[in-house]
Amino acid sequence: MQWSIVGLNILYATLGVVLMFAAYRIIDILTPQVDFAEELKKGNVAVGLFVAAIFVSVAIVVGGALN
């Protein structure tokens, strides 16, 4: 097992999580009229799908950048 590859995978995973959080916060700031956390607690499926779409799109971009 090569530890450099393991380290790079951990780095990429951490980078992906940080970028997903940053994208969520940016969208949250750009849409002040929508409280995502409150809407999710109410069970708003549309907001849940929107947040999921943010995470999936960031994952696709990060995955594409790594290849």
Side-chain angles (χ1 to χ4, degrees), residues 26-36 50:
I26 290 169
I27 296 296
D28 193 31
I29 290 169
L30 291 176
T31 55
Q33 65 275 15
V34 179
D35 185 9
F36 289 113
F50 182 73

Side-chain angles (χ1 to χ4, degrees), residues 3 5 7-8 15 17-18 20 24-25 29-31 36-38 40 42 49-50 52 55 57-59 66:
W3 290 105
I5 293 174
L8 280 175
L15 177 66
V17 170
V18 168
M20 284 184 189
Y24 173 77
R25 292 300 301 159
I29 290 169
L30 291 176
T31 55
F36 289 113
E38 186 62 34
L40 288 172
K42 291 180 186 176
L49 288 174
F50 182 73
F55 291 157
S57 55
V58 170
L66 296 179

